[in-house]
Amino acid sequence: MAHVPAAERREQLVRAAIELLMRSGPAAGSTRAIAKELGVPQATLHYVFGSKEELYRAVIVQLTDEFLGYVRAVEVPAGTDFEDSIATLTARLWQTVLDQPRKHQLLGELEMVALRSPQMREITADHRLEIDRITSALIDDTATHFGIVPKVDTIRIARFYFAALDGLINQHLTAPSPDVEEWCLARIVDNVRLMVVSGADTTGRPLA
């Protein structure tokens, strides 16, 4: 393979790793297999990343950054009112699940792997917090646009939002049910609206 700049080579290796890991899973993603996928010596991969763990960290960062890109791309306002705006965000994010289920599956698998690695766990936690921060800011900005003062800390709302969405993604990957998923997505939006507007959940109970 012709010489390419280190940054470009790194990007090639990460994308090759993503393709291999989506097909075979993290357990099959040895440095030898990933190097073979791209057609480079195994030593090249070790030179660029140092270890398989560092490569996996880079894959987590890449996949999470792609996911964050969809959140960052949402305009404010994204709809005709606050609820419609959150529904639009949710629909866009869910479309990535429908379009790229293997990437979502791989990210979930790597997050489980990361729980047993202090270094990988740290980078995963950092990116999770970044998702929360960006989503919280989006909720704040949308509420402000419509003259709403959130009744609950929007970081908490963002954490709830992705906890619910992550659970629904796992259900979709294992036992998809489009009608039920649409109902669940609508309930997630309902709860976000109620938390922001009234500081309560769908039962009407005030949130601490």
Side-chain angles (χ1 to χ4, degrees):
M1 179 176 287
H3 173 74
V4 294
E8 184 178 343
R9 175 60 54 81
R10 179 183 176 88
E11 181 178 346
Q12 290 175 344
L13 288 169
V14 169
R15 295 200 175 279
I18 289 173
E19 289 300 319
L20 175 63
L21 295 172
M22 283 195 300
R23 290 199 309 271
S24 305
S30 66
T31 54
R32 183 185 301 277
I34 294 168
K36 183 178 179 180
E37 177 84 4
L38 188 56
V40 300
Q42 189 176 1
T44 299
L45 190 145
H46 283 291
Y47 174 77
V48 175
F49 292 102
S51 67
K52 183 172 74 172
E53 182 178 73
E54 289 301 312
L55 174 59
Y56 279 13
R57 289 181 63 185
V59 168
I60 291 172
V61 170
Q62 176 66 32
L63 292 174
T64 309
D65 283 349
E66 288 181 16
F67 183 73
L68 282 171
Y70 290 99
V71 181
R72 292 190 179 104
V74 174
E75 298 178 359
V76 176
T80 56
D81 56 26
F82 180 83
E83 182 174 2
D84 187 43
S85 296
I86 300 303
T88 298
L89 166 64
T90 304
R92 290 181 184 177
L93 291 177
W94 190 251
Q95 193 61 46
T96 71
V97 179
L98 301 179
D99 293 343
Q100 305 175 69
R102 291 193 305 159
K103 282 191 175 181
H104 283 274
Q105 178 180 339
L106 175 57
L107 183 56
E109 290 171 339
L110 289 175
E111 287 178 340
M112 292 298 101
V113 172
L115 291 177
R116 295 187 178 276
S117 166
Q119 289 182 320
M120 287 180 64
R121 186 169 186 168
E122 179 182 357
I123 195 68
T124 303
D126 287 345
H127 277 69
R128 277 283 177 174
L129 291 173
E130 181 70 358
I131 290 174
D132 292 342
R133 186 190 65 77
I134 291 172
T135 305
S136 171
L138 179 63
I139 294 171
D140 275 325
D141 291 346
T142 302
T144 297
H145 178 86
F146 290 108
I148 301 169
V149 178
K151 300 297 192 297
V152 176
D153 183 352
T154 54
I155 283 289
R156 294 188 178 192
I157 297 175
R159 296 277 288 194
F160 161 83
Y161 179 80
F162 281 108
L165 200 59
D166 285 348
L168 196 57
I169 290 171
N170 287 336
Q171 290 182 348
H172 172 77
L173 293 174
T174 55
S177 177
D179 291 344
V180 174
E181 289 160 6
E182 287 298 320
W183 184 88
C184 290
L185 291 168
R187 301 294 74 74
I188 293 172
V189 173
D190 285 345
N191 271 283
V192 170
R193 176 183 59 81
L194 285 168
M195 290 176 189
V196 168
V197 174
S198 66
D201 62 17
T202 51
T203 69
R205 293 178 300 183
L207 299 171

mmCIF file of all heavy atoms in Angstrom, residues 30-75:
data_model
loop_
_atom_site.group_PDB
_atom_site.id
_atom_site.type_symbol
_atom_site.label_atom_id
_atom_site.label_comp_id
_atom_site.label_asym_id
_atom_site.label_seq_id
_atom_site.Cartn_x
_atom_site.Cartn_y
_atom_site.Cartn_z
ATOM 1 N N SER A 30 -9.347 -9.104 16.317
ATOM 2 C CA SER A 30 -7.924 -9.098 16.680
ATOM 3 C C SER A 30 -7.195 -8.077 15.816
ATOM 4 O O SER A 30 -7.657 -7.699 14.736
ATOM 5 C CB SER A 30 -7.308 -10.480 16.464
ATOM 6 O OG SER A 30 -7.295 -10.807 15.081
ATOM 7 N N THR A 31 -6.034 -7.627 16.302
ATOM 8 C CA THR A 31 -5.253 -6.679 15.501
ATOM 9 C C THR A 31 -4.827 -7.316 14.187
ATOM 10 O O THR A 31 -4.757 -6.633 13.155
ATOM 11 C CB THR A 31 -4.015 -6.205 16.285
ATOM 12 O OG1 THR A 31 -3.256 -7.348 16.720
ATOM 13 C CG2 THR A 31 -4.419 -5.373 17.485
ATOM 14 N N ARG A 32 -4.574 -8.603 14.186
ATOM 15 C CA ARG A 32 -4.194 -9.301 12.953
ATOM 16 C C ARG A 32 -5.335 -9.250 11.934
ATOM 17 O O ARG A 32 -5.124 -8.968 10.756
ATOM 18 C CB ARG A 32 -3.823 -10.749 13.255
ATOM 19 C CG ARG A 32 -3.334 -11.534 12.033
ATOM 20 C CD ARG A 32 -3.114 -12.999 12.396
ATOM 21 N NE ARG A 32 -2.142 -13.150 13.465
ATOM 22 C CZ ARG A 32 -0.826 -13.163 13.269
ATOM 23 N NH1 ARG A 32 -0.332 -13.039 12.052
ATOM 24 N NH2 ARG A 32 -0.013 -13.324 14.304
ATOM 25 N N ALA A 33 -6.555 -9.531 12.405
ATOM 26 C CA ALA A 33 -7.703 -9.534 11.500
ATOM 27 C C ALA A 33 -7.998 -8.140 10.960
ATOM 28 O O ALA A 33 -8.342 -7.976 9.786
ATOM 29 C CB ALA A 33 -8.929 -10.096 12.228
ATOM 30 N N ILE A 34 -7.871 -7.134 11.827
ATOM 31 C CA ILE A 34 -8.148 -5.764 11.396
ATOM 32 C C ILE A 34 -7.097 -5.296 10.389
ATOM 33 O O ILE A 34 -7.425 -4.656 9.380
ATOM 34 C CB ILE A 34 -8.203 -4.822 12.613
ATOM 35 C CG1 ILE A 34 -9.403 -5.195 13.495
ATOM 36 C CG2 ILE A 34 -8.313 -3.363 12.178
ATOM 37 C CD1 ILE A 34 -9.405 -4.547 14.854
ATOM 38 N N ALA A 35 -5.830 -5.630 10.638
ATOM 39 C CA ALA A 35 -4.767 -5.264 9.694
ATOM 40 C C ALA A 35 -5.011 -5.949 8.347
ATOM 41 O O ALA A 35 -4.843 -5.337 7.283
ATOM 42 C CB ALA A 35 -3.412 -5.659 10.258
ATOM 43 N N LYS A 36 -5.433 -7.202 8.381
ATOM 44 C CA LYS A 36 -5.713 -7.933 7.151
ATOM 45 C C LYS A 36 -6.886 -7.304 6.406
ATOM 46 O O LYS A 36 -6.892 -7.241 5.166
ATOM 47 C CB LYS A 36 -6.009 -9.396 7.474
ATOM 48 C CG LYS A 36 -6.251 -10.258 6.246
ATOM 49 C CD LYS A 36 -6.500 -11.710 6.640
ATOM 50 C CE LYS A 36 -6.756 -12.568 5.397
ATOM 51 N NZ LYS A 36 -7.008 -13.993 5.775
ATOM 52 N N GLU A 37 -7.877 -6.835 7.147
ATOM 53 C CA GLU A 37 -9.045 -6.185 6.543
ATOM 54 C C GLU A 37 -8.631 -5.004 5.677
ATOM 55 O O GLU A 37 -9.170 -4.788 4.592
ATOM 56 C CB GLU A 37 -10.000 -5.718 7.652
ATOM 57 C CG GLU A 37 -11.223 -4.963 7.176
ATOM 58 C CD GLU A 37 -12.363 -5.877 6.747
ATOM 59 O OE1 GLU A 37 -12.227 -7.113 6.891
ATOM 60 O OE2 GLU A 37 -13.382 -5.363 6.265
ATOM 61 N N LEU A 38 -7.662 -4.235 6.161
ATOM 62 C CA LEU A 38 -7.200 -3.062 5.425
ATOM 63 C C LEU A 38 -6.049 -3.381 4.484
ATOM 64 O O LEU A 38 -5.747 -2.617 3.580
ATOM 65 C CB LEU A 38 -6.787 -1.958 6.405
ATOM 66 C CG LEU A 38 -6.450 -0.581 5.805
ATOM 67 C CD1 LEU A 38 -7.622 -0.059 4.967
ATOM 68 C CD2 LEU A 38 -6.113 0.405 6.899
ATOM 69 N N GLY A 39 -5.402 -4.519 4.685
ATOM 70 C CA GLY A 39 -4.287 -4.887 3.825
ATOM 71 C C GLY A 39 -2.996 -4.212 4.198
ATOM 72 O O GLY A 39 -2.200 -3.830 3.325
ATOM 73 N N VAL A 40 -2.757 -4.062 5.517
ATOM 74 C CA VAL A 40 -1.508 -3.457 5.991
ATOM 75 C C VAL A 40 -0.845 -4.432 6.957
ATOM 76 O O VAL A 40 -1.513 -5.307 7.521
ATOM 77 C CB VAL A 40 -1.758 -2.107 6.705
ATOM 78 C CG1 VAL A 40 -2.410 -1.115 5.768
ATOM 79 C CG2 VAL A 40 -2.611 -2.293 7.950
ATOM 80 N N PRO A 41 0.454 -4.293 7.173
ATOM 81 C CA PRO A 41 1.116 -5.150 8.163
ATOM 82 C C PRO A 41 0.549 -4.916 9.557
ATOM 83 O O PRO A 41 0.151 -3.798 9.896
ATOM 84 C CB PRO A 41 2.586 -4.708 8.084
ATOM 85 C CG PRO A 41 2.727 -4.065 6.751
ATOM 86 C CD PRO A 41 1.410 -3.414 6.470
ATOM 87 N N GLN A 42 0.520 -5.964 10.356
ATOM 88 C CA GLN A 42 0.031 -5.838 11.725
ATOM 89 C C GLN A 42 0.845 -4.817 12.507
ATOM 90 O O GLN A 42 0.310 -4.093 13.356
ATOM 91 C CB GLN A 42 0.091 -7.195 12.414
ATOM 92 C CG GLN A 42 -0.591 -7.227 13.785
ATOM 93 C CD GLN A 42 -0.595 -8.637 14.375
ATOM 94 O OE1 GLN A 42 -0.065 -9.573 13.769
ATOM 95 N NE2 GLN A 42 -1.183 -8.797 15.540
ATOM 96 N N ALA A 43 2.133 -4.708 12.178
ATOM 97 C CA ALA A 43 2.997 -3.741 12.860
ATOM 98 C C ALA A 43 2.521 -2.310 12.631
ATOM 99 O O ALA A 43 2.698 -1.440 13.497
ATOM 100 C CB ALA A 43 4.435 -3.899 12.383
ATOM 101 N N THR A 44 1.923 -2.063 11.469
ATOM 102 C CA THR A 44 1.423 -0.713 11.177
ATOM 103 C C THR A 44 0.312 -0.336 12.137
ATOM 104 O O THR A 44 0.267 0.785 12.654
ATOM 105 C CB THR A 44 0.911 -0.637 9.733
ATOM 106 O OG1 THR A 44 1.987 -0.922 8.833
ATOM 107 C CG2 THR A 44 0.349 0.750 9.418
ATOM 108 N N LEU A 45 -0.583 -1.288 12.384
ATOM 109 C CA LEU A 45 -1.688 -1.021 13.293
ATOM 110 C C LEU A 45 -1.173 -0.743 14.701
ATOM 111 O O LEU A 45 -1.621 0.183 15.372
ATOM 112 C CB LEU A 45 -2.660 -2.202 13.287
ATOM 113 C CG LEU A 45 -3.994 -1.978 14.013
ATOM 114 C CD1 LEU A 45 -5.119 -2.701 13.294
ATOM 115 C CD2 LEU A 45 -3.910 -2.477 15.452
ATOM 116 N N HIS A 46 -0.206 -1.534 15.144
ATOM 117 C CA HIS A 46 0.363 -1.322 16.481
ATOM 118 C C HIS A 46 1.109 0.012 16.556
ATOM 119 O O HIS A 46 1.110 0.668 17.601
ATOM 120 C CB HIS A 46 1.291 -2.477 16.844
ATOM 121 C CG HIS A 46 0.563 -3.719 17.250
ATOM 122 N ND1 HIS A 46 -0.146 -3.822 18.426
ATOM 123 C CD2 HIS A 46 0.415 -4.922 16.625
ATOM 124 C CE1 HIS A 46 -0.694 -5.022 18.526
ATOM 125 N NE2 HIS A 46 -0.366 -5.711 17.441
ATOM 126 N N TYR A 47 1.719 0.406 15.438
ATOM 127 C CA TYR A 47 2.438 1.685 15.425
ATOM 128 C C TYR A 47 1.462 2.855 15.574
ATOM 129 O O TYR A 47 1.724 3.823 16.294
ATOM 130 C CB TYR A 47 3.221 1.827 14.115
ATOM 131 C CG TYR A 47 3.877 3.170 13.957
ATOM 132 C CD1 TYR A 47 5.043 3.486 14.651
ATOM 133 C CD2 TYR A 47 3.324 4.142 13.121
ATOM 134 C CE1 TYR A 47 5.646 4.736 14.514
ATOM 135 C CE2 TYR A 47 3.909 5.388 12.978
ATOM 136 C CZ TYR A 47 5.068 5.675 13.679
ATOM 137 O OH TYR A 47 5.663 6.914 13.536
ATOM 138 N N VAL A 48 0.318 2.758 14.900
ATOM 139 C CA VAL A 48 -0.653 3.857 14.918
ATOM 140 C C VAL A 48 -1.413 3.920 16.245
ATOM 141 O O VAL A 48 -1.632 4.992 16.795
ATOM 142 C CB VAL A 48 -1.646 3.724 13.745
ATOM 143 C CG1 VAL A 48 -2.733 4.793 13.835
ATOM 144 C CG2 VAL A 48 -0.909 3.836 12.417
ATOM 145 N N PHE A 49 -1.802 2.756 16.788
ATOM 146 C CA PHE A 49 -2.655 2.746 17.975
ATOM 147 C C PHE A 49 -1.974 2.226 19.242
ATOM 148 O O PHE A 49 -2.438 2.507 20.344
ATOM 149 C CB PHE A 49 -3.914 1.914 17.704
ATOM 150 C CG PHE A 49 -4.827 2.540 16.694
ATOM 151 C CD1 PHE A 49 -4.853 2.085 15.389
ATOM 152 C CD2 PHE A 49 -5.644 3.598 17.036
ATOM 153 C CE1 PHE A 49 -5.691 2.664 14.446
ATOM 154 C CE2 PHE A 49 -6.482 4.185 16.111
ATOM 155 C CZ PHE A 49 -6.495 3.711 14.807
ATOM 156 N N GLY A 50 -0.942 1.438 19.099
ATOM 157 C CA GLY A 50 -0.265 0.912 20.275
ATOM 158 C C GLY A 50 -0.852 -0.387 20.787
ATOM 159 O O GLY A 50 -0.131 -1.282 21.198
ATOM 160 N N SER A 51 -2.180 -0.502 20.757
ATOM 161 C CA SER A 51 -2.831 -1.708 21.259
ATOM 162 C C SER A 51 -4.235 -1.807 20.685
ATOM 163 O O SER A 51 -4.795 -0.834 20.171
ATOM 164 C CB SER A 51 -2.913 -1.698 22.790
ATOM 165 O OG SER A 51 -3.787 -0.667 23.223
ATOM 166 N N LYS A 52 -4.832 -3.005 20.806
ATOM 167 C CA LYS A 52 -6.206 -3.193 20.364
ATOM 168 C C LYS A 52 -7.148 -2.332 21.196
ATOM 169 O O LYS A 52 -8.140 -1.807 20.687
ATOM 170 C CB LYS A 52 -6.602 -4.666 20.482
ATOM 171 C CG LYS A 52 -8.015 -4.950 19.956
ATOM 172 C CD LYS A 52 -8.324 -6.429 19.901
ATOM 173 C CE LYS A 52 -8.566 -7.015 21.260
ATOM 174 N NZ LYS A 52 -9.063 -8.420 21.167
ATOM 175 N N GLU A 53 -6.840 -2.175 22.467
ATOM 176 C CA GLU A 53 -7.672 -1.351 23.342
ATOM 177 C C GLU A 53 -7.743 0.083 22.844
ATOM 178 O O GLU A 53 -8.819 0.697 22.818
ATOM 179 C CB GLU A 53 -7.132 -1.383 24.772
ATOM 180 C CG GLU A 53 -7.977 -0.595 25.763
ATOM 181 C CD GLU A 53 -7.434 -0.703 27.171
ATOM 182 O OE1 GLU A 53 -6.388 -0.092 27.449
ATOM 183 O OE2 GLU A 53 -8.053 -1.393 27.987
ATOM 184 N N GLU A 54 -6.593 0.626 22.426
ATOM 185 C CA GLU A 54 -6.581 1.994 21.911
ATOM 186 C C GLU A 54 -7.378 2.101 20.619
ATOM 187 O O GLU A 54 -8.044 3.107 20.363
ATOM 188 C CB GLU A 54 -5.137 2.456 21.686
ATOM 189 C CG GLU A 54 -4.358 2.707 22.962
ATOM 190 C CD GLU A 54 -5.031 3.767 23.824
ATOM 191 O OE1 GLU A 54 -5.400 4.830 23.293
ATOM 192 O OE2 GLU A 54 -5.185 3.526 25.037
ATOM 193 N N LEU A 55 -7.316 1.066 19.787
ATOM 194 C CA LEU A 55 -8.102 1.057 18.553
ATOM 195 C C LEU A 55 -9.591 1.027 18.887
ATOM 196 O O LEU A 55 -10.384 1.758 18.284
ATOM 197 C CB LEU A 55 -7.726 -0.149 17.698
ATOM 198 C CG LEU A 55 -8.574 -0.372 16.436
ATOM 199 C CD1 LEU A 55 -8.490 0.839 15.511
ATOM 200 C CD2 LEU A 55 -8.126 -1.629 15.717
ATOM 201 N N TYR A 56 -9.975 0.198 19.849
ATOM 202 C CA TYR A 56 -11.379 0.132 20.247
ATOM 203 C C TYR A 56 -11.858 1.479 20.791
ATOM 204 O O TYR A 56 -12.987 1.893 20.546
ATOM 205 C CB TYR A 56 -11.582 -0.962 21.298
ATOM 206 C CG TYR A 56 -11.704 -2.362 20.735
ATOM 207 C CD1 TYR A 56 -11.367 -2.635 19.412
ATOM 208 C CD2 TYR A 56 -12.155 -3.414 21.520
ATOM 209 C CE1 TYR A 56 -11.477 -3.921 18.902
ATOM 210 C CE2 TYR A 56 -12.270 -4.703 21.008
ATOM 211 C CZ TYR A 56 -11.919 -4.944 19.702
ATOM 212 O OH TYR A 56 -12.039 -6.212 19.195
ATOM 213 N N ARG A 57 -10.989 2.149 21.529
ATOM 214 C CA ARG A 57 -11.340 3.482 22.016
ATOM 215 C C ARG A 57 -11.621 4.412 20.845
ATOM 216 O O ARG A 57 -12.579 5.197 20.859
ATOM 217 C CB ARG A 57 -10.221 4.058 22.879
ATOM 218 C CG ARG A 57 -10.065 3.402 24.237
ATOM 219 C CD ARG A 57 -8.950 4.050 25.035
ATOM 220 N NE ARG A 57 -9.222 5.450 25.318
ATOM 221 C CZ ARG A 57 -8.357 6.264 25.915
ATOM 222 N NH1 ARG A 57 -7.176 5.810 26.301
ATOM 223 N NH2 ARG A 57 -8.675 7.508 26.162
ATOM 224 N N ALA A 58 -10.775 4.344 19.810
ATOM 225 C CA ALA A 58 -10.954 5.194 18.632
ATOM 226 C C ALA A 58 -12.262 4.870 17.915
ATOM 227 O O ALA A 58 -12.944 5.770 17.398
ATOM 228 C CB ALA A 58 -9.773 5.026 17.683
ATOM 229 N N VAL A 59 -12.630 3.588 17.886
ATOM 230 C CA VAL A 59 -13.885 3.185 17.254
ATOM 231 C C VAL A 59 -15.072 3.742 18.037
ATOM 232 O O VAL A 59 -16.039 4.257 17.455
ATOM 233 C CB VAL A 59 -13.975 1.642 17.155
ATOM 234 C CG1 VAL A 59 -15.394 1.210 16.776
ATOM 235 C CG2 VAL A 59 -12.967 1.122 16.134
ATOM 236 N N ILE A 60 -15.019 3.655 19.378
ATOM 237 C CA ILE A 60 -16.088 4.207 20.209
ATOM 238 C C ILE A 60 -16.235 5.705 19.970
ATOM 239 O O ILE A 60 -17.351 6.226 19.821
ATOM 240 C CB ILE A 60 -15.823 3.920 21.702
ATOM 241 C CG1 ILE A 60 -15.968 2.423 21.992
ATOM 242 C CG2 ILE A 60 -16.784 4.719 22.590
ATOM 243 C CD1 ILE A 60 -15.535 2.022 23.397
ATOM 244 N N VAL A 61 -15.103 6.407 19.917
ATOM 245 C CA VAL A 61 -15.130 7.852 19.673
ATOM 246 C C VAL A 61 -15.764 8.140 18.313
ATOM 247 O O VAL A 61 -16.616 9.038 18.172
ATOM 248 C CB VAL A 61 -13.710 8.444 19.745
ATOM 249 C CG1 VAL A 61 -13.700 9.887 19.240
ATOM 250 C CG2 VAL A 61 -13.183 8.385 21.174
ATOM 251 N N GLN A 62 -15.368 7.407 17.277
ATOM 252 C CA GLN A 62 -15.892 7.632 15.937
ATOM 253 C C GLN A 62 -17.399 7.404 15.885
ATOM 254 O O GLN A 62 -18.144 8.234 15.354
ATOM 255 C CB GLN A 62 -15.186 6.694 14.943
ATOM 256 C CG GLN A 62 -15.727 6.765 13.516
ATOM 257 C CD GLN A 62 -15.465 8.097 12.857
ATOM 258 O OE1 GLN A 62 -14.453 8.739 13.133
ATOM 259 N NE2 GLN A 62 -16.373 8.526 11.987
ATOM 260 N N LEU A 63 -17.851 6.285 16.427
ATOM 261 C CA LEU A 63 -19.274 5.980 16.387
ATOM 262 C C LEU A 63 -20.088 6.984 17.198
ATOM 263 O O LEU A 63 -21.165 7.422 16.772
ATOM 264 C CB LEU A 63 -19.523 4.559 16.915
ATOM 265 C CG LEU A 63 -18.999 3.415 16.046
ATOM 266 C CD1 LEU A 63 -19.195 2.083 16.759
ATOM 267 C CD2 LEU A 63 -19.669 3.393 14.689
ATOM 268 N N THR A 64 -19.577 7.362 18.366
ATOM 269 C CA THR A 64 -20.290 8.321 19.205
ATOM 270 C C THR A 64 -20.325 9.697 18.559
ATOM 271 O O THR A 64 -21.346 10.389 18.612
ATOM 272 C CB THR A 64 -19.646 8.415 20.602
ATOM 273 O OG1 THR A 64 -19.502 7.109 21.150
ATOM 274 C CG2 THR A 64 -20.506 9.247 21.540
ATOM 275 N N ASP A 65 -19.218 10.101 17.929
ATOM 276 C CA ASP A 65 -19.182 11.395 17.250
ATOM 277 C C ASP A 65 -20.172 11.436 16.084
ATOM 278 O O ASP A 65 -20.786 12.478 15.811
ATOM 279 C CB ASP A 65 -17.776 11.707 16.759
ATOM 280 C CG ASP A 65 -16.854 12.169 17.878
ATOM 281 O OD1 ASP A 65 -17.362 12.439 18.988
ATOM 282 O OD2 ASP A 65 -15.633 12.273 17.650
ATOM 283 N N GLU A 66 -20.311 10.315 15.381
ATOM 284 C CA GLU A 66 -21.308 10.254 14.311
ATOM 285 C C GLU A 66 -22.703 10.457 14.892
ATOM 286 O O GLU A 66 -23.526 11.194 14.327
ATOM 287 C CB GLU A 66 -21.236 8.913 13.584
ATOM 288 C CG GLU A 66 -20.012 8.751 12.693
ATOM 289 C CD GLU A 66 -19.999 7.417 11.981
ATOM 290 O OE1 GLU A 66 -21.057 6.740 11.932
ATOM 291 O OE2 GLU A 66 -18.929 7.038 11.456
ATOM 292 N N PHE A 67 -22.955 9.808 16.019
ATOM 293 C CA PHE A 67 -24.243 9.939 16.684
ATOM 294 C C PHE A 67 -24.471 11.386 17.142
ATOM 295 O O PHE A 67 -25.542 11.955 16.945
ATOM 296 C CB PHE A 67 -24.294 8.986 17.869
ATOM 297 C CG PHE A 67 -25.602 8.977 18.602
ATOM 298 C CD1 PHE A 67 -26.717 8.376 18.048
ATOM 299 C CD2 PHE A 67 -25.727 9.569 19.845
ATOM 300 C CE1 PHE A 67 -27.925 8.356 18.722
ATOM 301 C CE2 PHE A 67 -26.928 9.555 20.526
ATOM 302 C CZ PHE A 67 -28.027 8.945 19.962
ATOM 303 N N LEU A 68 -23.436 11.989 17.735
ATOM 304 C CA LEU A 68 -23.541 13.376 18.184
ATOM 305 C C LEU A 68 -23.816 14.326 17.027
ATOM 306 O O LEU A 68 -24.471 15.358 17.191
ATOM 307 C CB LEU A 68 -22.250 13.802 18.889
ATOM 308 C CG LEU A 68 -22.062 13.330 20.329
ATOM 309 C CD1 LEU A 68 -20.643 13.641 20.801
ATOM 310 C CD2 LEU A 68 -23.077 13.990 21.244
ATOM 311 N N GLY A 69 -23.301 13.976 15.852
ATOM 312 C CA GLY A 69 -23.512 14.827 14.690
ATOM 313 C C GLY A 69 -24.986 15.023 14.374
ATOM 314 O O GLY A 69 -25.401 16.121 13.958
ATOM 315 N N TYR A 70 -25.798 13.989 14.598
ATOM 316 C CA TYR A 70 -27.227 14.110 14.334
ATOM 317 C C TYR A 70 -27.892 15.052 15.329
ATOM 318 O O TYR A 70 -28.820 15.784 14.987
ATOM 319 C CB TYR A 70 -27.892 12.736 14.393
ATOM 320 C CG TYR A 70 -27.522 11.836 13.238
ATOM 321 C CD1 TYR A 70 -26.540 10.849 13.377
ATOM 322 C CD2 TYR A 70 -28.133 11.969 11.993
ATOM 323 C CE1 TYR A 70 -26.191 10.028 12.319
ATOM 324 C CE2 TYR A 70 -27.787 11.153 10.931
ATOM 325 C CZ TYR A 70 -26.817 10.183 11.099
ATOM 326 O OH TYR A 70 -26.466 9.380 10.046
ATOM 327 N N VAL A 71 -27.407 15.043 16.576
ATOM 328 C CA VAL A 71 -27.964 15.954 17.583
ATOM 329 C C VAL A 71 -27.540 17.386 17.273
ATOM 330 O O VAL A 71 -28.359 18.311 17.322
ATOM 331 C CB VAL A 71 -27.511 15.549 18.992
ATOM 332 C CG1 VAL A 71 -28.103 16.489 20.042
ATOM 333 C CG2 VAL A 71 -27.909 14.106 19.297
ATOM 334 N N ARG A 72 -26.263 17.582 16.955
ATOM 335 C CA ARG A 72 -25.765 18.925 16.661
ATOM 336 C C ARG A 72 -26.446 19.527 15.432
ATOM 337 O O ARG A 72 -26.563 20.745 15.316
ATOM 338 C CB ARG A 72 -24.250 18.879 16.426
ATOM 339 C CG ARG A 72 -23.420 18.556 17.655
ATOM 340 C CD ARG A 72 -21.951 18.768 17.360
ATOM 341 N NE ARG A 72 -21.092 18.499 18.500
ATOM 342 C CZ ARG A 72 -20.353 17.412 18.635
ATOM 343 N NH1 ARG A 72 -20.362 16.481 17.682
ATOM 344 N NH2 ARG A 72 -19.605 17.235 19.704
ATOM 345 N N ALA A 73 -26.862 18.671 14.495
ATOM 346 C CA ALA A 73 -27.439 19.158 13.243
ATOM 347 C C ALA A 73 -28.890 19.609 13.388
ATOM 348 O O ALA A 73 -29.439 20.222 12.463
ATOM 349 C CB ALA A 73 -27.347 18.067 12.179
ATOM 350 N N VAL A 74 -29.509 19.323 14.529
ATOM 351 C CA VAL A 74 -30.919 19.706 14.719
ATOM 352 C C VAL A 74 -31.019 21.214 14.873
ATOM 353 O O VAL A 74 -30.339 21.821 15.704
ATOM 354 C CB VAL A 74 -31.518 18.992 15.945
ATOM 355 C CG1 VAL A 74 -32.922 19.501 16.234
ATOM 356 C CG2 VAL A 74 -31.540 17.488 15.710
ATOM 357 N N GLU A 75 -31.866 21.827 14.066
ATOM 358 C CA GLU A 75 -32.059 23.269 14.144
ATOM 359 C C GLU A 75 -32.984 23.611 15.317
ATOM 360 O O GLU A 75 -33.780 22.793 15.748
ATOM 361 C CB GLU A 75 -32.672 23.786 12.843
ATOM 362 C CG GLU A 75 -31.802 23.562 11.614
ATOM 363 C CD GLU A 75 -32.461 24.052 10.350
ATOM 364 O OE1 GLU A 75 -33.611 24.557 10.434
ATOM 365 O OE2 GLU A 75 -31.846 23.927 9.279
#
